[in-house]
Amino acid sequence: MENFRSIQPVRVEKSALINLERGKLPPQAVELEEAVLGAMMIDKKGVDEVIDILQPDAFYKEAHQYIYQAITDLFNDSQPIDLLTVSAQLKKSAKLDLSGGDFYLIQLTQKISSSAHIEFHSRIILQKYIQRSLIRISNEIIEESYDETTDVFDLLDKAESRLYEVTQGNIKRSSETAQSLVIQAKKRIQEIATKEGLSGIATGFEKLDQVTSGWQPSDLIIIAARPGMGKTAFVLSMARNMAIDFNQPVAVFSLEMSSVQLITRLISSETGLSSEKLRTGKLEQHEWNQLSVKVKNLEKAPLFIDDTPSLSIFDLRAKSRRLASQHGIKLIIVDYLQLMTAGGNSKGGGGNREQEISTISRNLKALAKELGVPVIALSQLSRAVETRGSSKRPLLSDLRESGAIEQDADIVSFIYRPEYYKIDEWDDEDQSPTAGQAEFIIAKHRNGSLENIRLKFIGSLGKFDNLEDYGSGFNDLPSKMNADDMPFQPRTLPSPNEAFGSSSNSNFPDDSEVPF
């Protein structure tokens, strides 16, 4: 026992020595902090360059935080900033002694001769602060993760929120000169000239692309309609055009339908097989072959579908950033806005739903700007459309919880199908039939004109297409086709060429005739 006691202190000292060797200091740049504060007190130009980059808590040393706060207070009051005024401000706030006194202020001004490179120095200080913030947040998350009473999904939401606050609060965009902006604009115009006049992402709907010049980066687009009008069918048709025809990565967040249901609708659109047949699986032999051949393009499409129910805006931001960094998505679709939640700690108790929708729409617009991609959000319309007289065409006032949505959106559009309301003719001069047609109404366009665009709607396939260019394709086939309707009765599994009518007397269109 005595021998054990004699060696025990040696073991403790060795352990302490190892801990000291492996100890870590928080990221810091105290010398640069001294240089920046000294430069701000000797040169007003230094204040102008730093004041919108740093906050007082960005400084590691507490005394430097007090000094910088005094400089900020003087700047906000439009007072001169020098050694004497900073000292007086610190005395006024009773922080002079905590800041090291007048002697320390004098030392700061003597350590620097000019404000050269002060912006570069301040950004290094900011980087160190962000590193310390990440360490602090990570430690808090680790601590809470060990708590068995913590809800893991609330913790994920908090983690995302805290990291986002670090990004938003500290990485600021500085203003740019007219010269640099003109150069950027000229470069973008040159890029547009090589893309056949479209400055944004082509939708595949020609008239819509002419009006909008494609969906523009950073735009929030609202597409609203009453249930049954085909909102989901429209965005799926558009997503299909972008992903397959133009090879543009698209992300679809579906809060209403499952991902398998959505992809089944796309398969119906792509293959020309009705949704009813795909749902029941009652396919003829040639239709099974048609399915396997026509679905290959869809399999290779850069299309990403997320069917998380009750998705919060925080989760959407996190998932979108991940998709943008990993797959370079060019368009985000949310189906639909009213099913989203604002997230945070609110569980829908006494909160105002209109304020929650306002938060969601504002964050969708911020997400579009942050990632530089268009964000399309589907929205429901109120029942006011149904109660109107002869015309059922939607208006901006029909948007549910419309105030913030209409304000934040760059484009507000509606889908209108008169056929749904048993209206057989369009209310135009020609009074043309409405069967199999829809109207895409652009009711608000921040950067362009307002138009009503007619589209082809194929209900059996859940598909929209260009009205004029839609040739004799799958829409000529009955929506409920059975074996007796077929022009021939295959008894064995045909080859792909036979199934799609490579012979001249077959009624099946080949690939060149199918408008998909």
Side-chain angles (χ1 to χ4, degrees):
M1 180 65 69
E2 290 178 0
N3 291 336
F4 175 76
R5 287 177 180 172
S6 65
I7 63 173
Q8 187 70 12
V10 177
R11 291 178 63 186
V12 171
E13 288 177 10
K14 187 176 181 180
S15 175
L17 182 61
I18 291 174
N19 287 338
L20 285 173
E21 288 175 350
R22 295 182 179 179
K24 293 180 180 179
L25 283 174
Q28 55 185 284
V30 176
E31 291 184 357
L32 291 181
E33 291 179 8
E34 294 173 349
V36 166
L37 292 173
M40 293 177 80
M41 285 189 286
I42 67 172
D43 191 349
K44 183 181 182 301
K45 181 184 175 184
V47 178
D48 296 333
E49 291 188 14
V50 173
I51 203 71
D52 64 339
I53 297 175
L54 297 176
Q55 298 294 328
D57 54 1
F59 290 83
Y60 177 73
K61 196 171 179 179
E62 190 174 15
H64 295 168
Q65 294 180 10
Y66 297 141
I67 295 170
Y68 187 80
Q69 183 63 59
I71 293 173
T72 302
D73 292 339
L74 290 169
F75 180 85
N76 292 336
D77 293 336
S78 300
Q79 299 295 323
I81 298 170
D82 55 34
L83 179 62
L84 295 176
T85 56
V86 171
S87 175
Q89 183 66 29
L90 287 169
K91 287 177 184 175
K92 184 179 176 180
S93 59
K95 295 288 175 62
L96 181 60
D97 291 337
L98 295 174
S99 304
D102 288 332
F103 180 72
Y104 186 66
L105 296 179
I106 293 170
Q107 280 187 315
L108 291 178
T109 57
Q110 289 177 341
K111 285 186 176 183
I112 197 81
S113 59
S114 74
S115 62
H117 313 302
I118 187 172
E119 182 181 352
F120 181 75
H121 294 160
S122 66
R123 294 199 181 278
I124 294 176
I125 294 171
L126 179 61
Q127 290 173 20
K128 300 298 182 184
Y129 170 66
I130 292 174
Q131 286 178 283
R132 295 198 301 272
S133 298
L134 292 174
I135 292 170
R136 174 180 53 79
I137 292 169
S138 301
N139 287 333
E140 290 173 358
I141 293 170
I142 291 170
E143 188 73 23
E144 292 181 36
S145 297
Y146 279 107
D147 187 353
E148 294 293 338
T149 63
T150 302
D151 184 278
V152 66
F153 296 105
D154 282 345
L155 183 57
L156 281 171
D157 188 49
K158 284 181 185 177
E160 164 67 19
S161 179
R162 290 171 188 171
L163 291 172
Y164 184 71
E165 285 173 6
V166 171
T167 304
Q168 292 296 99
N170 297 288
I171 299 177
K172 301 179 181 178
R173 184 187 296 271
S174 59
S175 57
E176 299 180 77
T177 64
Q179 181 182 13
S180 65
L181 291 172
V182 167
I183 293 172
Q184 291 179 39
K186 285 171 64 178
K187 184 178 179 182
R188 176 150 180 78
I189 293 168
Q190 290 171 353
E191 291 174 353
I192 294 169
T194 63
K195 294 168 62 177
E196 300 181 358
L198 290 184
S199 57
I201 308 298
T203 66
F205 301 116
E206 294 178 0
K207 285 194 173 180
L208 178 58
D209 287 338
Q210 289 173 9
V211 175
T212 63
S213 194
W215 298 134
Q216 300 299 310
S218 305
D219 273 6
L220 173 60
I221 300 113
I222 300 295
I223 300 176
R226 288 292 294 155
M229 287 291 115
K231 298 186 297 296
T232 304
F234 177 80
V235 293
L236 283 181
S237 299
M238 183 173 59
R240 181 257 165 225
N241 294 342
M242 293 177 175
I244 294 180
D245 292 343
F246 308 121
N247 198 34
Q248 299 283 4
V250 178
V252 179
F253 293 92
S254 175
L255 286 79
E256 187 174 29
M257 298 175 65
S258 72
S259 54
V260 175
Q261 287 176 318
L262 286 182
I263 207 69
T264 303
R265 292 180 68 165
L266 280 169
I267 290 172
S268 173
S269 169
E270 195 68 11
T271 61
L273 300 171
S274 68
S275 299
E276 182 180 345
K277 284 201 168 191
L278 294 176
R279 193 164 51 247
T280 59
K282 295 179 180 178
L283 302 180
E284 300 294 325
Q285 287 181 320
H286 70 278
E287 290 174 326
W288 283 112
N289 194 50
Q290 183 175 336
L291 174 63
S292 63
V293 172
K294 282 294 183 181
V295 84
K296 292 188 182 300
N297 286 336
L298 186 58
E299 289 176 355
K300 296 182 290 185
L303 185 62
F304 307 91
I305 299 176
D306 186 304
D307 61 357
T308 305
S310 301
L311 188 69
S312 73
I313 190 65
F314 295 107
D315 293 333
L316 176 69
R317 273 201 314 244
K319 290 170 182 281
S320 298
R321 288 196 200 101
R322 198 173 303 121
L323 286 168
S325 62
Q326 294 177 356
H327 304 287
I329 54 170
K330 301 298 182 184
L331 178 75
I332 297 171
I333 297 172
V334 180
D335 183 13
Y336 59 92
L337 190 146
Q338 277 82 10
L339 291 179
M340 288 192 70
T341 61
N345 296 324
S346 60
K347 301 295 181 186
N352 187 320
R353 179 56 180 166
E354 193 164 337
Q355 291 176 353
E356 192 174 15
I357 291 293
S358 173
T359 300
I360 292 168
S361 65
R362 186 168 60 250
N363 277 276
L364 287 176
K365 175 61 181 174
L367 178 65
K369 289 186 67 178
E370 178 189 344
L371 299 183
V373 301
V375 173
I376 296 177
L378 303 190
S379 177
Q380 292 282 26
L381 290 177
S382 68
R383 291 189 180 90
V385 178
E386 319 287 349
T387 60
R388 278 201 289 270
S390 56
S391 177
K392 305 292 185 181
R393 190 175 272 107
L395 304 171
L396 281 172
S397 58
D398 295 327
L399 272 172
R400 287 175 61 181
E401 295 115 356
S402 64
I405 298 176
E406 184 181 340
Q407 176 182 328
D408 294 327
D410 297 279
I411 295 177
V412 178
S413 56
F414 304 114
I415 296 174
Y416 171 55
R417 290 198 299 113
E419 186 181 14
Y420 180 84
Y421 298 108
K422 312 299 183 189
I423 300 173
D424 299 327
E425 295 178 342
W426 288 103
D427 52 355
D428 54 14
E429 295 180 359
D430 299 334
Q431 293 186 327
S432 53
T434 62
Q437 294 186 17
E439 197 170 55
F440 188 84
I441 303 167
I442 301 178
K444 175 191 174 182
H445 193 183
R446 201 188 299 275
N447 301 306
S449 60
L450 309 180
E451 298 284 347
N452 294 354
I453 300 161
R454 300 268 176 90
L455 297 171
K456 179 75 175 177
F457 177 69
I458 308 132
S460 61
L461 305 181
K463 175 183 173 69
F464 282 79
D465 211 320
N466 293 299
L467 185 61
E468 292 82 0
D469 297 339
Y470 197 84
S472 57
F474 294 133
N475 61 322
D476 295 329
L477 299 176
S479 59
K480 296 183 179 180
M481 184 179 293
N482 53 45
D484 296 332
D485 296 321
M486 299 304 298
F488 56 92
Q489 295 283 337
R491 297 179 182 273
T492 59
L493 186 65
S495 67
N497 289 334
E498 292 170 339
F500 288 97
S502 60
S503 59
S504 59
N505 56 1
S506 174
N507 290 335
F508 272 91
D510 62 22
D511 289 354
S512 63
E513 294 173 326
V514 179
F516 301 125

